[in-house]
Amino acid sequence: MIEATGKQTKIANRTKTAVKRGRKPLFSDSMTPAQRKAKQRREQDAFILENDSTDWTESDCMRVLSTKKFNAMHKFAWERLGHIKGYM
């Protein structure tokens, strides 16, 4: 039987190993939360650069406004936020 602590116990001359909880990793190792967030930021930055500002979501606009490398796109982000919120 497996105890709540995840240790192995013997049941009638058999041993069971602890069952891992959670989602299986996509590749050889699972990613840390920091790695997952960095991947999300890379994918969002690529989306922002590849697509027109009319396709941006509110979170994309906020990313543009909060990141220095997108300073040239601030006007487009403000205009898109105005359309999303219904001000324009």
Side-chain angles (χ1 to χ4, degrees):
M1 173 179 234
I2 300 173
E3 298 175 5
T5 59
K7 295 180 183 178
Q8 292 182 355
T9 57
K10 286 193 172 191
I11 300 174
N13 298 328
R14 296 184 319 199
T15 59
K16 290 187 176 183
T17 58
V19 178
K20 289 187 177 182
R21 300 177 67 177
R23 188 174 163 183
K24 292 184 179 182
L26 294 176
F27 304 107
S28 60
D29 293 331
S30 58
M31 296 190 316
T32 64
Q35 290 171 329
R36 281 194 298 275
K37 188 64 178 179
K39 180 183 175 188
Q40 177 192 4
R41 287 183 182 128
R42 282 192 306 271
E43 290 172 352
Q44 188 175 30
D45 290 350
F47 177 81
I48 289 168
L49 292 172
E50 293 170 0
N51 293 305
D52 192 31
S53 64
T54 57
D55 297 332
W56 293 350
T57 62
E58 184 176 350
S59 64
D60 295 331
C61 294
M62 297 307 292
R63 175 76 177 153
V64 168
L65 294 172
S66 65
T67 307
K68 288 184 178 181
K69 67 179 175 181
F70 295 127
N71 277 342
M73 299 180 184
H74 279 203
K75 181 181 176 185
F76 300 118
W78 279 115
E79 289 175 358
R80 180 65 183 146
L81 276 176
H83 286 288
I84 291 171
K85 296 289 187 177
Y87 300 131
M88 299 178 96

